Amino acid sequence: MTLETAVTSPQDTFPTARHRLWVAVATPAHSNVGEPLTYLCDHELSPGTLVRVPLGRREVLGVVWDAPEEGEPPMPEGVKARAITGVLEGVAPLSASWRRLAAFTARYYQRALGEVALAALPPQLRDLTPEQMARRVKRSTKAAGAVAADAAALPHEHSVTLSAEQLHATAQIAGESGPFLLYGSTGSGKTEVYLHSVQQALAASPSAQALVMVPEINLTPQLEERFLQRFAPIYGAAAVVSMHSGMTPAQRLKSWLAAHTGEARIVLGTRMAVFASMPHLALIVVDEEHDASYKQQEGARYSARDLAVWRAREQHAKVILGSATPSLETWHASRPPTPEDPQGGRYLRLNMPSRIGSAELPRVRIVDMGQQPRAAVFSPPLLQAITERVERGEQCLVLLNRRGFAPVLHCKECGWKSDCPHCSAHQVFHKIDRTLRCHHCGFTQRVPHACPACGNVDIAPIGRGTEQLEEQLAALLRNVITPERRAARVARIDADTTKAKGALEEQLAAVHNGEIDVLVGTQMVAKGHDFRRITLVAAVQPDGALFSSDFRAPERLFALLMQAAGRAGRDAQYIASQGGEPPEMWIQTWHPEHSLYMALRQHDYPRFASEQLQERADAGMPPFAHQALVRADARTQEAAQAFLKAVSSAAHEAQLPGLAHVYLFPPVPMAVQRIANVERAQMLVESTHRGALQHFLAAWQGVLHAERAHHKAVIRWLVDVDPQGI
């Protein structure tokens, strides 16, 4: 690791400063600033200490890092190192295990150390002065003491009776070292296994901590409620904290301090929580581990799921990956031993195929749209089924993973389309506020009264989004009456309807309270939610992913549909009270014989996974190969591709380590090649050996920096290791 100095004039150096420190500060990988930086202090500071340091003309937060293993290099002649400006007193140094996590993340995902380490800390920590931080810690300590005193008087919650499958799973988790894949069907009670395992881990040690992650922010409120009900009577409400980007900076800092000091025994959060400072970590749970949201798509593009597995092993903690539709990488890693493969996978697979109680998995019904009336949005059989459910007082969920009213506006006279002027994508028509919005760059404008190209006033929407679906369904069900003698109510939940603070919670509460009869939504309502009265789920336009250029598209579609189906029929008692009509999942498709739908009809994930893994093995794709994407953003597409061609040629000329086991594909434009007037190109790097790929990428960093200096039109470049989309 390269060591650099924060250069200054001699008078900026304190005369009493004697000790040299290595400090990680936030510098992006493409800046070519080596790390950690060298500073001076008048006394020794332990690695992990948070300090304020000068960087250029700014003062920034830094983390004192471990000295280089090769010893202290001599200072360059004529260079003076600057002194730190302050220490954040009252905050214990970040542990060695946390520093190893940050260092591994930076190394594996080809990012700068300080960029990863500082991004993992709460934003408010970067802005507070040492004096402000001392006051904040003092207030937190007082509040913790008061909460602990109140918690001592709280009664303990009664234990929950586990099913036979849950008992078997929890016993194996307690008795084995893992890692574990908890493969359970939707409604099988995976959350109760998480709760029980957390309870066992915390009971084993008075200081033990547990981390529980979910893929999306909207899943944290209901999870927090369940964990507080279970653990607040035992450890106090302050023992359970959340961490996600939807919290205010002050809330995030408070939760981080509680975890860092050990006051918080349980941390619930999204992918960012994998970096929570938890010195006594004993258990990590990754719920819905297959979800692509665990992969960060900006900055350091880490996979929180994979880091959770690495962190658990490094800190001698246990890790549980849970899903009804595991990622193919995890499924392959948990394969049981066979005569052909006596070793098997490195994960232990725990099966929970049955739903809790007598609840049934929904019956999957495939509708061939080629046999339905032309241009029908809802086939007559599906519309009839929804009508009957609503008339009985049951709820339905209609899934369409595209928000807005229509994907594009179109002029039939001249062929004009509502293209974004800044991106190679269409602007989506939103009827509710009469706007055209680009979902890539955010550009918004009013809908024109006539075609901007030819003046034709007859411009029409093409395709459908959730907004249009909600409107059409409300019209189709306008004469349907519920048992309460009121008209059927249709509502929509997507990113557009949940922008306001508290809007999602309010809408979900309306669904749970029975105020909504038919819910139209995107993937954000298709997973994790425990809707007790939904008995029918319908996917109206799922075919697009069947023939996508992204080899992961079928896997994601199967997971989305199976997770959506899992929202139906979760309450066996409610189904019985309604007459016992089994729950249903309807799929409208133009390809009813596709093998994906055939496997889905039987809820047969193993069959689907087996077919997909065989295809990937034949094609040499993950998990049988390892990939990285190198992306270049430039002012022109030619400049972006020229840069990628140059770094590829330079790598071959230099015969970089690992190159013999690595294949560099030619550069190509990205699927959406222009965003916000920036052209984007990418180049795939692939190897059957993960170690060879890592060695090559590490050696390639210098080439990328050197070639960047010769390509002035290139704005930035980045490396995405284990990409989730190609």
Side-chain angles (χ1 to χ4, degrees):
M1 186 176 294
T2 305
L3 294 176
E4 299 288 342
T5 58
V7 180
T8 184
S9 58
Q11 60 265 31
D12 289 333
T13 304
F14 294 166
T16 57
R18 293 284 187 267
H19 299 280
R20 190 190 297 191
L21 299 177
W22 286 265
V23 181
V25 295
T27 54
H30 56 76
S31 66
N32 201 21
V33 176
E35 292 194 82
L37 302 181
T38 306
Y39 288 90
L40 299 177
C41 183
D42 58 1
H43 59 277
E44 288 278 7
L45 290 177
S46 301
T49 302
L50 298 176
V51 293
R52 304 288 301 180
V53 297
L55 183 67
R57 297 181 179 180
R58 299 176 296 142
E59 183 182 291
V60 299
L61 180 69
V63 182
V64 177
W65 217 256
D66 305 88
E69 294 181 0
E70 60 270 18
E72 295 188 10
M75 292 289 291
E77 187 176 350
V79 174
K80 298 289 185 181
R82 305 171 77 173
I84 68 169
T85 56
V87 179
L88 272 64
E89 302 286 354
V91 182
L94 292 158
S95 67
S97 60
W98 187 93
R99 300 196 303 276
R100 287 193 293 270
L101 173 66
F104 170 79
T105 304
R107 185 171 63 251
Y108 185 82
Y109 292 103
Q110 303 297 312
R111 306 300 296 191
L113 171 63
E115 179 189 19
V116 171
L118 273 296
L121 300 176
Q124 199 173 50
L125 203 58
R126 305 169 209 163
D127 303 326
L128 295 178
T129 65
E131 293 76 21
Q132 291 171 325
M133 192 66 220
R135 290 195 294 269
R136 180 63 59 88
V137 172
K138 188 176 180 181
R139 288 200 302 269
S140 299
T141 304
K142 285 184 177 179
V147 171
D150 294 339
L154 289 172
H156 287 206
E157 187 192 60
H158 65 277
S159 59
V160 176
T161 302
L162 301 181
S163 68
E165 290 177 359
Q166 289 173 323
L167 281 171
H168 181 69
T170 53
Q172 286 192 281
I173 292 169
E176 304 283 348
S177 58
F180 304 97
L181 167 62
L182 185 61
Y183 167 54
S185 63
T186 52
S188 61
K190 293 187 293 293
T191 303
E192 188 56 47
V193 174
Y194 303 154
L195 288 161
H196 195 83
S197 298
V198 169
Q199 191 167 351
Q200 287 182 324
L202 300 192
S205 169
S207 60
Q209 295 174 294
L211 170 62
V212 182
M213 293 195 295
V214 290
E216 295 187 6
I217 294 173
N218 66 73
L219 297 176
T220 54
Q222 67 179 27
L223 187 70
E224 186 173 15
E225 182 181 355
R226 288 199 65 176
F227 271 80
L228 281 172
Q229 287 176 352
R230 178 67 59 87
F231 295 106
I234 305 173
Y235 302 108
V240 181
V241 300
S242 294
M243 286 188 188
H244 55 76
S245 58
M247 301 168 66
T248 65
Q251 290 171 330
R252 286 175 63 176
L253 178 59
K254 182 180 179 182
S255 294
W256 185 87
L257 285 171
H260 179 62
T261 60
E263 173 198 344
R265 305 289 303 280
I266 302 169
V267 174
L268 312 174
T270 51
R271 62 174 176 260
M272 62 178 289
V274 76
F275 291 108
S277 176
M278 303 176 70
H280 309 293
L281 186 62
L283 175 68
I284 303 178
V285 174
V286 185
D287 192 25
E288 309 293 0
E289 65 83 28
H290 66 277
D291 201 289
S293 299
Y294 282 119
K295 186 71 158 67
Q296 172 75 3
Q297 293 301 323
E298 298 294 335
R301 300 189 168 209
Y302 63 86
S303 165
R305 178 200 65 203
D306 296 346
L307 287 181
V309 175
W310 188 92
R311 185 177 187 182
R313 184 182 66 225
E314 204 276 333
Q315 286 193 243
H316 306 291
K318 295 185 179 183
V319 60
I320 305 171
L321 311 177
S323 178
T325 53
S327 65
L328 292 180
E329 287 84 356
T330 300
W331 185 257
H332 181 67
S334 67
R335 64 192 184 280
T338 62
E340 299 78 21
D341 181 17
Q343 193 105 22
R346 62 187 185 278
Y347 297 175
L348 179 60
R349 186 184 302 171
L350 310 176
N351 295 314
M352 289 173 44
S354 306
R355 279 187 156 184
I356 291 296
S358 56
E360 300 179 26
L361 288 168
R363 179 176 57 192
V364 178
R365 304 190 63 169
I366 308 294
V367 179
D368 183 356
M369 294 304 290
Q371 304 298 320
Q372 304 305 315
R374 187 173 181 178
V377 181
F378 293 93
S379 63
L382 172 58
L383 187 60
Q384 180 63 29
I386 292 176
T387 300
E388 292 174 358
R389 297 279 180 176
V390 173
E391 288 177 339
R392 291 203 298 267
E394 300 170 18
Q395 293 175 319
C396 303
L397 170 64
V398 178
L399 176 68
L400 176 62
N401 208 21
R402 183 188 294 128
R403 59 192 173 101
F405 189 86
V408 62
L409 282 183
H410 175 246
C411 174
K412 296 181 180 178
E413 289 292 323
C414 68
W416 171 87
K417 292 185 177 65
S418 56
D419 294 331
C420 175
H422 309 296
C423 305
S424 53
H426 299 307
Q427 285 185 285
V428 176
F429 173 40
H430 289 256
K431 185 178 180 181
I432 193 168
D433 57 0
R434 301 294 297 175
T435 61
L436 293 173
R437 300 184 210 162
C438 177
H439 291 172
H440 296 280
C441 72
F443 179 74
T444 302
Q445 62 184 21
R446 300 293 297 173
V447 172
H449 295 291
C451 173
C454 70
N456 174 36
V457 295
D458 188 19
I459 52 177
I462 298 178
R464 293 177 181 83
T466 50
E467 192 179 323
Q468 184 178 167
L469 210 62
E470 176 193 20
E471 180 182 284
Q472 292 177 335
L473 196 54
L476 291 169
L477 299 179
R478 63 184 180 276
N479 296 323
V480 176
I481 305 300
T482 69
E484 292 84 7
R485 309 306 302 165
R486 58 169 175 79
R489 296 171 181 166
V490 180
R492 169 170 54 97
I493 294 182
D494 56 26
D496 295 322
T497 65
T498 57
K499 289 180 180 177
K501 183 176 177 59
L504 178 61
E505 290 79 4
E506 184 179 330
Q507 291 171 310
L508 290 175
V511 178
H512 289 301
N513 294 335
E515 300 169 18
I516 305 301
D517 301 299
V518 181
L519 176 63
V520 177
T522 56
Q523 54 87 24
M524 67 186 299
V525 296
K527 53 193 175 187
H529 296 288
D530 194 15
F531 299 123
R532 311 306 291 180
R533 296 174 60 178
I534 285 182
T535 58
L536 182 147
V537 175
V540 292
Q541 291 180 350
D543 288 345
L546 292 178
F547 309 104
S548 169
S549 59
D550 186 350
F551 69 89
R552 283 192 172 90
E555 176 186 359
R556 289 179 181 151
L557 176 61
F558 189 92
L560 177 62
L561 294 178
M562 199 160 178
Q563 293 287 334
R567 300 316 104 201
R570 299 176 70 89
D571 190 334
Q573 292 183 343
Y574 177 75
I575 295 291
S577 69
Q578 294 296 108
E581 186 70 21
E584 294 178 322
M585 170 66 172
W586 287 68
I587 298 173
Q588 296 189 155
T589 174
W590 293 90
H591 306 279
E593 301 302 322
H594 196 282
S595 60
L596 184 149
Y597 296 135
M598 293 297 99
L600 188 70
R601 173 176 278 175
Q602 304 298 324
H603 298 277
D604 194 351
Y605 174 80
R607 169 185 165 184
F608 168 78
S610 176
E611 293 174 354
Q612 287 290 304
L613 284 172
Q614 186 59 54
E615 288 183 13
R616 294 203 189 172
D618 294 341
M621 291 181 175
F624 306 100
H626 308 283
Q627 298 177 331
L629 276 179
V630 182
R631 195 183 90 188
D633 295 356
R635 294 179 179 88
T636 66
Q637 183 64 215
E638 293 75 18
Q641 293 197 36
F643 170 75
L644 295 177
K645 289 177 182 176
V647 296
S648 178
S649 298
H652 284 94
E653 290 173 6
Q655 286 297 301
L656 295 179
L659 182 61
H661 301 284
V662 172
Y663 184 79
L664 281 70
F665 287 80
V668 294
M670 295 188 67
V672 181
Q673 71 178 57
R674 180 168 54 94
I675 290 183
N677 293 320
V678 174
E679 293 286 339
R680 312 185 308 161
Q682 66 183 15
M683 181 168 61
L684 179 64
V685 185
E686 192 172 76
S687 175
T688 55
H689 302 281
R690 190 191 299 273
L693 179 61
Q694 281 291 312
H695 285 135
F696 171 76
L697 292 176
W700 206 21
Q701 285 285 331
V703 174
L704 288 161
H705 286 296
E707 288 295 333
R708 168 69 176 81
H710 302 309
H711 293 75
K712 302 300 182 183
V714 174
I715 299 171
R716 69 183 69 88
W717 56 267
L718 62 86
V719 178
D720 186 359
V721 181
D722 300 334
Q724 289 299 298
I726 297 178

